[in-house]
Amino acid sequence: MRMTRYLAGCGLAALLAACGGGGSGGGATGSGLPLSGLDGGAPQAQASAAPESAQVAKAAKAALAGADARSGTYRVYASNGTQQQLALDFDAGSYTMTDNLGAAESGTFAEDFTEPGTYVFASSRVTTAANTARFRVAADVVVGAFPFQAAYSSPAAYAAQPFVAAREFVSTAALLDGTYNRFSVTRSPGGAQDSTLLAMRLSGSGTVLEICNDAIIYKIDLCPAASKRTYSVAAGADDTWVGTNVANSSDVANFRMARIGGQNVYLAGGVNLAPAVQFMRIGLPDSSSWPATRGVGASTTGSWGSNLIDTANSVRTSTGADGTYGSLTLPVGGTFAQQPEGIRLVNGSGASKYFAMQNGLLSVLVGARNPNTQGYLQLNLIDTGAAPDARNGRYKVYATNGTRQTLALNLDSKRYEMTDESGTLASGSFAEDTAEPGSFVFDSSRITSPVNTARFRLAADTVVGSFPFAVAQVTPASYGVRPFVASRALVKTQAALDGVYNRLGINLTATTGDSSITQIQVANGGTTLYLCNNAAIYRIDTCPSATLLTYTVSPGATVDTWNIVNVANPSDHGSFGIARVGNENVYLSAGIVPATPTTSVFRIGLPERAAWPTVTARGGAANGGWGSTAVDASSYARTRVLPDGTAGTLNATLGSMGIVGPINMRAVGFPNSTFHFSSQSSKLFAMVGARSPATAGALEIGLVD
């Protein structure tokens, strides 16, 4: 079968839907050792929390009688430099966070089923796309993020910021003794921030504190005499300890020593007045032990996620407050002779450098003192259980009924939640199909057909499947199994949108279906989109100029969506996203055209390329079917089952699109003389029916094995 031009028509082509306080990190090296930061230069007085009653102090040490052992009041040390009180009631699922001025913020919390052991704070202060205000709990410690007031903000602004909270503290001086590594972050007026790290030692049965205030991170025993500061330590109120510089009595250090995971953890936070700065400090015992650990927690960038760290790499996998998901792998360096054994340099040869330390329960990263990372802090609670399935999480869904939804998956508990744009939630369980390993079957009360064809398959950061969505534009709502593509790796850098895409789509009203087949190009650093709006299917470079439409591209409502507007006809507009699937860009859009009749549209665009390998893809179709499709250079064969139980095999021949047509597109000819058009990427196969009564609106999407 050889053709030079294929009729497609774009059919509603318009919618393309279409890194501490006292010391700060330096930037040079000595004997191959990264520099730490200095403790300012002027003495720094530390402020403790607002005065507390003896009853509150006592409550901070105990769980609520007769309640969940985790319930109770914890002292909070927040990365914005404040000390607060967190009251948790796990039986009621409620909390109260009381700041250093006595103002309280109360609300509820609930466990995130995609990450068991993580609880989400509900708060009106959270206005971001994703709620990263969360926490995890171990014996007498809470680690998380809360929408604290940003330091020095006026009017008050709030953002999810890390904290560590404890309720067991050392009250016997002799138990303070030990050598510690201390990380600090500071916040100053105007948005300036900094970070520091140093070695410190408590000795003399808790009566002497020494810190090494040098630009290089020395072991306390190797600290140059000129860089060592010595403080006398005495007991303060409410389990605090007060260190007074023996050479300068105005330099006072207030701190508490928490007991976390059977170890001492140094905590300090407060406000310096001259210069104005808010700080948080955390110190862990120095140790040569460096096991591979997985910590879960928050960072000062607003992200929440896990950090896998060992002697070779640090792998941070997280979701940002903007709703985007990502993973970053950085190398971990060893130790040097003069360096504390419990500190590791992360990404030492890169522009963005960090330092890490850990004990049996906490994992802490702080940014080196340079513009890329200073002020960065990451606090994690180490998870000693089995690591969850890496595919757990939330995916942004583009559904073929024209809706944008969110799919939450937990592959360990086999539970899902599908939430539509109005907030309507469909939830349930799923199970792997033993006859088709890698395919999971959704259980849903919406499915009443003899065969359940609502299924899904996964690739890295991608879900492809079918779900019982509301049938497009039908009132009252009825449900039908329809295909979808979901991603948590959508492009959020405009210049990365560029590419040529073979775009296939469908347009659905309450009673009719139509198809759209064309090629588009995103160019000029993601600022322009070209579309060949022709009845024939041309490549962009062969599209007749009269039918080549030009659109401007600009940031959309979320960080990973993009708006387009027709330059010649501003009423022709829409939005789209670009997912990263198998290291390639895939164009996705779904939406509603408020025309008469109202139309639901879906588009998928696979990258133009010369390769057409032999593949097998498994997925769903617009008729509710699920099956396996084998494609090679000249043939198409699909084995599928429909919701009514009808099973069978469909065979067709493949033909090129001719000298002016897209290279990575094939005409699919069936024995009954109907035509479809298909395209493939390294991980996806898509096919749509031609614009004819027999095939318009037909669509198939599969995940390549």
Side-chain angles (χ1 to χ4, degrees), residues 84-366:
Q84 306 198 21
Q85 294 283 350
L86 174 61
L88 292 175
D89 186 338
F90 277 84
D91 297 300
S94 64
Y95 73 87
T96 297
M97 183 73 78
T98 305
D99 70 18
N100 51 310
L101 301 178
E105 169 79 0
S106 297
T108 60
F109 62 84
E111 189 171 23
D112 181 349
F113 89 90
T114 70
E115 189 179 87
T118 293
Y119 299 87
V120 184
F121 288 111
S123 172
S124 60
R125 293 177 177 179
V126 177
T127 59
T128 50
N131 185 354
T132 58
R134 298 160 173 249
F135 67 94
R136 292 177 70 86
V137 184
D140 300 319
V141 63
V142 181
V143 176
F146 190 79
F148 298 114
Q149 180 177 347
Y152 301 105
S153 62
S154 181
Y158 300 94
Q161 300 165 72
F163 71 85
V164 59
R167 61 181 180 186
E168 287 294 331
F169 297 90
V170 175
S171 58
T172 302
L175 298 180
L176 299 173
D177 284 2
T179 301
Y180 304 86
N181 299 312
R182 195 189 77 183
F183 289 179
S184 309
V185 290
T186 63
R187 301 291 182 260
S188 301
Q193 57 186 39
D194 207 349
S195 53
T196 67
L197 59 161
L198 52 77
M200 53 176 274
R201 177 167 58 198
L202 280 151
S203 61
S205 295
T207 61
V208 178
L209 168 66
E210 300 164 286
I211 68 170
C212 188
N213 186 41
D214 197 284
I216 294 177
I217 312 170
Y218 285 106
K219 292 179 179 178
I220 194 70
D221 287 335
L222 300 178
C223 184
S227 299
K228 184 179 287 188
R229 291 182 183 176
T230 303
Y231 299 75
S232 62
V233 179
D238 299 328
D239 293 330
T240 63
W241 299 92
V242 182
T244 304
N245 191 324
V246 297
N248 181 354
S249 60
S250 64
D251 179 8
V252 178
N254 293 284
F255 65 93
R256 286 189 176 93
M257 192 70 77
R259 291 292 291 174
I260 297 175
Q263 297 187 53
N264 286 359
V265 174
Y266 174 102
L267 293 171
V271 178
N272 291 328
L273 300 179
V277 64
Q278 295 182 200
F279 62 87
M280 176 190 173
R281 298 170 179 166
I282 181 169
L284 304 183
D286 188 37
S287 171
S288 61
S289 175
W290 193 266
T293 61
R294 176 182 176 271
V296 181
S299 81
T300 46
T301 63
S303 71
W304 177 272
S306 67
N307 195 67
L308 294 167
I309 191 166
D310 56 24
T311 56
N313 294 294
S314 169
V315 183
R316 173 72 170 172
T317 303
S318 63
T319 297
D322 61 6
T324 59
Y325 173 91
S327 182
L328 178 64
T329 299
L330 298 174
V332 174
T335 61
F336 300 92
Q338 71 270 47
Q339 176 185 344
E341 294 181 291
I343 295 176
R344 297 291 189 276
L345 175 62
V346 178
N347 200 34
S349 60
S352 298
K353 299 177 178 64
Y354 306 86
F355 297 89
M357 64 178 178
Q358 58 174 309
N359 63 7
L361 203 56
L362 298 175
S363 171
V364 186
L365 277 78
V366 69

Side-chain angles (χ1 to χ4, degrees), residues 316 377 390 681:
R316 173 72 170 172
L377 182 69
S681 69

